[in-house]
Amino acid sequence: MPSRQRARAQASAITPGRQAPDAEPAPVERVRALFGGHRLSPGQRRIAQYITDNLTEAAFLSITDLADRVGVSQPSVTRFAASVGFSGYPALREALQPIALSAVAGSPETVESRRNELQTAVDAEIANLESLRRRFADTDQVLGVGRELARSVPLTILGLRISTSLAEYFAYAARRIHPDVRLVSRGGSVAYDALLQSREAGGTWVLAFAMPRHAKETLAAIRAARRTGLRTALITDLTMGPLVDEADVALTAGTGSRLVFDSYSAPGVLSAAILQAMADADPERTQQRLEQYEHAAEQHDFFIED
């Protein structure tokens, strides 16, 4: 186990026998959860740290004042707000102000002492889902990606290493509504062969998953897809970097990182939303295939009766 992950294992160890009643998260933890799960640049981390350390003041600053206090430009503050899932700085400030007021009204130390490690992990995932919910205010990107993936026959789903489980889930569900879904869960030349065959068969798109720790094999596969003429839609926790740069479309969802291994509530919901968009893109095909599947399931007695 890498030293970084070992440290996470120790920090997130569950305290045995600890009873923790439901309680509102401490304001500082709520702010950390708001920013958690996002890959930030050094300048953006400075902004996040300043807001966390000076919450009761920072939540009421103008964009000009905050930029001056941190020593960054106003556009940097705007990009930071977008990177953590807000439409702009005013929306971020609006979310921070009630947290700041609760910090003035209550004692964070008292609240924090009543919370355990598992509740903290859930709080972080709730923040990831809230961030995704704000992104879903504009549905155009998800609907557009769903249409393109629905039209790609065959459709390739790529997920390597830790991202394989998300790719397998998506591929399993997509096969219910799409006529030719091909899962690629091995990297190297095997992935390249599969991508080339998909393109030669008429495929136009790959949906790739890239969760931390981000594999070099995934980056190589996305580049290989581009060389074959395939376009790539990427589901990742990243907002910038080579994976995002190489993809044609990047959809961001934060991962839970409070426990020794990451959790994927927001990427799972984002995946389900894209599946819905694919289903909506061709309702007649969707209905026909779902009916065929239900007939086969009944004929072969796939499932236990509820």
Side-chain angles (χ1 to χ4, degrees):
M1 181 186 294
S3 58
R4 178 179 170 187
Q5 196 163 42
R6 185 182 297 115
R8 280 177 59 180
Q10 294 168 348
S12 60
I14 301 168
T15 306
R18 183 174 174 180
Q19 299 296 320
D22 289 337
E24 183 71 10
V28 169
E29 282 301 310
R30 290 168 66 188
V31 173
R32 288 173 180 163
L34 204 63
F35 299 155
H38 301 279
R39 294 300 190 268
L40 303 176
S41 68
Q44 290 172 337
R45 288 196 293 271
R46 286 169 53 201
I47 299 171
Q49 191 63 53
Y50 182 88
I51 292 173
T52 303
D53 293 343
N54 304 275
L55 173 61
T56 55
E57 177 190 43
F60 299 90
L61 292 175
S62 68
I63 189 171
T64 303
D65 289 338
L66 179 60
D68 289 343
R69 302 288 178 88
V70 182
V72 298
S73 66
Q74 293 181 37
S76 294
V77 176
T78 300
R79 286 193 293 270
F80 167 76
S83 294
V84 296
F86 292 86
S87 59
Y89 177 69
L92 171 59
R93 187 172 60 179
E94 183 179 349
L96 289 171
Q97 287 176 355
I99 304 175
L101 291 173
S102 72
V104 174
S107 170
E109 291 79 11
T110 301
V111 174
E112 177 65 18
S113 66
R114 296 201 300 266
R115 299 172 65 244
N116 65 36
E117 298 81 1
L118 297 182
Q119 289 176 310
T120 300
V122 172
D123 290 337
E125 284 287 44
I126 290 171
N128 287 333
L129 289 169
E130 285 287 355
S131 177
L132 184 64
R133 182 180 183 275
R134 289 190 293 272
R135 291 181 184 274
F136 280 170
D138 183 356
T139 60
D140 287 349
Q141 185 183 46
V142 169
L143 291 174
V145 169
R147 284 192 298 269
E148 294 297 333
L149 299 184
R151 292 170 184 159
S152 179
V153 181
L155 171 63
T156 303
I157 311 299
L158 173 72
L160 307 179
R161 293 186 177 269
I162 199 70
S163 302
T164 301
S165 60
L166 286 168
E168 287 178 337
Y169 156 76
F170 193 98
Y172 177 88
R175 289 186 181 111
R176 305 284 79 81
I177 59 174
H178 190 286
D180 190 352
V181 176
R182 304 184 183 188
L183 175 66
V184 179
S185 57
R186 294 175 60 189
S189 60
V190 173
Y192 184 79
D193 284 347
L195 293 166
L196 185 60
Q197 290 168 10
S198 179
R199 181 64 183 128
E200 290 176 344
T204 53
W205 280 85
V206 176
L207 176 64
F209 291 84
M211 298 294 121
R213 299 170 68 187
H214 306 97
K216 292 180 179 179
E217 293 168 294
T218 302
L219 179 59
I222 292 174
R223 287 172 173 166
R226 181 182 295 278
R227 289 196 300 272
T228 66
L230 290 165
R231 302 184 70 188
T232 301
L234 175 68
I235 294 181
T236 184
D237 64 313
L238 300 170
T239 57
M240 60 187 71
L243 284 165
V244 173
D245 293 341
E246 291 290 341
D248 293 280
V249 180
L251 302 102
T252 303
T255 60
S257 57
R258 295 285 177 159
L259 303 174
V260 60
F261 295 106
D262 290 340
S263 51
Y264 305 119
S265 297
V269 172
L270 177 55
S271 297
I274 296 174
L275 286 164
Q276 181 67 50
M278 288 176 59
D280 294 346
D282 193 338
E284 291 185 6
R285 185 179 74 182
T286 296
Q287 183 67 24
Q288 181 183 26
R289 291 189 62 80
L290 288 176
E291 288 177 357
Q292 290 173 348
Y293 180 75
E294 287 304 318
H295 177 72
E298 183 177 354
Q299 182 180 9
H300 297 288
D301 198 20
F302 286 168
F303 303 114
I304 299 170
E305 291 296 331
D306 295 330

